[in-house]
Amino acid sequence: MGTVKLRAKLPLLLLLLAVLSADGAKKIWLKNTNWMNSANWDRGSPPCSKQVVSFQEKPNPYAVFVQNDVSVGELVLPLNGEIVFADDLKVNFGSFTDDPACMAGDNRFVGGEPGDWFNPHNWRVEDDGNLVEPMSPEDDSSPTSPGDDTDGFPVLHAEVVPCTHDTVVFPENATYLVRLDHSKQVKHVDFTGKVYKRKPEFHQFLRSENGEMQFKLGPSGDIAVMGQDCKELSGCYCGNEEHMDLICDLYGDNCPPLTCSSPITPRGSCCPMCGSVLLLNYDDTFDIMAFQDRLVVDFVPKVREYTGRVKGRVSKLADGHVQLVLVDDVSGARNGMAAVEVGEHVASVIERDMGPYPTYGVKGLTIKNSGIGNVAQVARGSGGNTVLYIAAGAGGGAVFFIAILVSLVIIMKKRRADSEGGQNGASVRKPPMPAGAGRPGAAGQAGGGAGPSGGDKGADKGFENPVYDNPIKDNPLYADIPDDP
């Protein structure tokens, strides 16, 4: 008997960005106490020449940096704290120019509340020049969850906050006010242009008058500069998963509405999402960077494309598992279903590889998928490529941003049953999987994924695509390949 090979026309993906190094990400602190920062004033803008300026009184002193010439009607200095003026700066008192836009009255500095280290809104993620915009509630274009459709890469909230192997940056020409009630390790600290690479020298700065003015450390608060890269083949844990309750409390109620059913929440995220999450269990040979490269190599292009953009992120978890998170930008009720299809295919490739000598180094996996939403919300798709972006964290904050255009190919084999007329009429049908269900029997098992079993083989009518609910014989995305000789 011959066999029929069925080739699925799955996502076409193209390599857009190179893999980054594993020496950690840069996490840039955003909140400052600068005079020209509009958020620091109760009127929503810096003072002008007709206004009386005062400062919020706080038990602990803080510093305010004035970086440009300013004009004020009157300046009421605080009882404690500092006002730091840039070089050659002028402060004008009284209205020396006609300023019709300036409304007379009081304008109070209200930026004296410390920003919490664990608040994702206070950080911007930068990896080798690739930026993830700050998660600010005032900026509607900023990412708020792994499912957001942004130009920058959305990251899990636990990984917005600095990880153990990240470099923390406090930009120059600013003063800061940071609160930290826990002990944290980072690789380096770049504070206003001075880079601290060793623990003793940064501790000396924290104990200085300038350091105490800008860093408010609790009894257990500490920043340990370790200067270490991630050296684990399987990647390094970020170090923030145990602080998720605090991170999510500070992140607040900023999760976007979802259109799928049974949304899933990845580890390290404060928000549920539509898509697919794979947890991998691996052996001593597993290399997170090689694993990422293998995904690119093994999913060889040579198939047609279909519509939808899929984003992915690989990261190491506290319990040692590696997590792959997949989302897409499909609108309406089918949001997440392209990611689910990609996740199912990735799982099937890895499962077929599992055995006594797995080349991926993965010895078990589980998968959780969201489900389709209200069919009335399904939006008509438009032509275009399905783009899979994979960001793999080999060292917590050591992030690899990959935008890949690779096609995912499914090749399934099934023996044909002879019909009475001598024709080979049978093909393969995949039983539907409940939304949100894990992959049965996948975790901790050796060997590839099990094929269809049981039932009347003669009753098979075709492969039912869970995304399109379309029998394979009627689906133009699939085509037969001639029988093996």
Side-chain angles (χ1 to χ4, degrees):
M1 276 183 209
T3 60
V4 172
K5 294 182 181 178
L6 302 176
R7 179 170 292 173
K9 303 303 189 287
L10 283 178
L12 181 64
L13 309 161
L14 167 51
L15 184 59
L16 298 178
L17 297 177
V19 180
L20 304 184
S21 62
D23 58 354
K26 286 184 180 179
K27 305 291 174 67
I28 301 174
W29 180 264
L30 299 174
K31 181 180 172 65
N32 62 49
T33 56
N34 284 6
W35 180 286
M36 297 305 295
N37 185 348
S38 297
N40 289 332
W41 298 96
D42 63 358
R43 287 203 176 198
S45 61
C48 55
S49 59
K50 301 176 184 178
Q51 294 176 349
V52 176
V53 178
S54 61
F55 294 83
Q56 186 179 31
E57 296 290 347
K58 289 289 183 179
N60 296 316
Y62 58 90
V64 176
F65 181 66
V66 186
Q67 63 266 51
N68 303 106
D69 291 351
V70 296
S71 295
V72 298
E74 186 178 340
L75 181 62
V76 181
L77 296 176
L79 295 177
N80 56 17
E82 292 183 351
I83 299 179
V84 182
F85 296 97
D87 294 338
D88 301 323
L89 179 145
K90 296 179 181 179
V91 179
N92 299 314
F93 290 91
S95 181
F96 294 97
T97 59
D98 184 17
D99 188 1
C102 182
M103 296 183 62
D106 295 331
N107 199 352
R108 191 180 190 196
F109 188 92
V110 292
E113 186 66 33
D116 200 290
W117 178 280
F118 287 100
N119 189 340
H121 297 300
N122 291 333
W123 296 99
R124 183 181 70 191
V125 181
E126 178 181 342
D127 285 87
D128 199 25
N130 299 296
L131 296 181
V132 177
E133 293 302 321
M135 293 185 175
S136 169
E138 290 80 26
D139 184 359
D140 293 338
S141 64
S142 299
T144 55
S145 82
D148 281 348
D149 183 16
T150 61
D151 292 335
F153 245 100
V155 295
L156 304 181
H157 302 98
E159 297 178 6
V160 176
V161 179
C163 300
T164 301
H165 301 284
D166 290 343
T167 294
V168 175
V169 179
F170 293 86
E172 297 182 63
N173 299 317
T175 48
Y176 302 97
L177 196 54
V178 183
R179 178 176 60 240
L180 179 59
D181 296 322
H182 301 271
S183 178
K184 286 302 300 176
Q185 293 183 355
V186 296
K187 179 182 176 182
H188 297 147
V189 174
D190 180 345
F191 190 83
T192 64
K194 179 174 175 56
V195 180
Y196 296 90
K197 298 184 177 181
R198 297 187 303 114
K199 184 176 180 179
E201 60 178 350
F202 189 66
H203 274 178
Q204 183 177 359
F205 165 75
L206 290 176
R207 291 191 295 267
S208 69
E209 182 179 359
N210 188 21
E212 290 181 348
M213 186 84 67
Q214 300 187 70
F215 288 88
K216 308 303 180 182
L217 303 180
S220 301
D222 184 38
I223 303 171
V225 178
M226 307 305 292
Q228 296 177 351
D229 292 326
C230 175
K231 301 185 183 301
E232 297 290 332
L233 279 179
S234 61
C236 291
Y237 165 53
C238 172
N240 290 327
E241 204 171 328
E242 57 265 40
H243 301 295
M244 281 305 297
D245 287 344
L246 174 59
I247 290 172
C248 293
D249 284 345
L250 293 167
Y251 181 70
D253 187 17
N254 289 288
C255 297
L258 300 176
T259 57
C260 63
S261 65
S262 304
I264 52 180
T265 304
R267 298 260 294 273
S269 174
C270 298
C271 298
M273 66 165 209
C274 304
S276 183
V277 174
L278 286 79
L279 290 180
L280 309 181
N281 187 21
Y282 49 86
D283 59 28
D284 293 339
T285 67
F286 179 80
D287 183 330
I288 197 168
M289 294 179 67
F291 169 73
Q292 168 182 275
D293 294 340
R294 282 286 308 276
L295 291 179
V296 178
V297 172
D298 286 358
F299 301 154
V300 182
K302 296 195 192 222
V303 293
R304 297 178 187 174
E305 57 199 66
Y306 83 97
T307 302
R309 181 167 60 181
V310 176
K311 301 174 184 178
R313 177 170 181 82
V314 181
S315 52
K316 182 80 168 285
L317 301 179
D319 60 7
H321 285 92
V322 167
Q323 177 178 253
L324 171 60
V325 181
L326 296 169
V327 295
D328 62 49
D329 66 352
V330 178
S331 60
R334 291 199 182 276
N335 180 236
M337 297 309 293
V340 167
E341 186 167 355
V342 171
E344 288 289 333
H345 179 60
V346 171
S348 68
V349 170
I350 294 175
E351 283 185 330
R352 287 196 297 269
D353 177 75
M354 288 191 295
Y357 306 102
T359 59
Y360 277 102
V362 177
K363 59 183 183 180
L365 67 85
T366 58
I367 180 170
K368 291 184 178 180
N369 299 324
S370 63
I372 194 168
N374 187 336
V375 293
Q377 302 173 12
V378 177
R380 294 181 180 273
S382 58
N385 292 337
T386 294
V387 182
L388 172 60
Y389 296 93
I390 296 182
V399 189
F400 303 86
F401 290 103
I402 296 183
I404 327 168
L405 272 184
V406 177
S407 59
L408 304 180
V409 180
I410 297 180
I411 299 178
M412 297 160 290
K413 295 183 179 180
K414 181 179 175 70
R415 293 184 178 276
R416 291 183 176 181
D418 292 332
S419 63
E420 291 182 0
Q423 296 179 352
N424 294 328
S427 58
V428 178
R429 182 170 68 180
K430 180 178 179 179
M433 176 175 287
R439 196 173 187 86
Q445 289 186 0
S453 63
D456 183 0
K457 295 183 180 180
D460 289 339
K461 300 301 181 184
F463 172 85
E464 291 183 355
N465 190 316
V467 174
Y468 298 99
D469 292 323
N470 189 19
I472 193 166
K473 67 178 182 178
D474 297 324
N475 195 330
L477 296 176
Y478 294 81
D480 288 347
I481 296 177
D483 294 356
D484 290 340

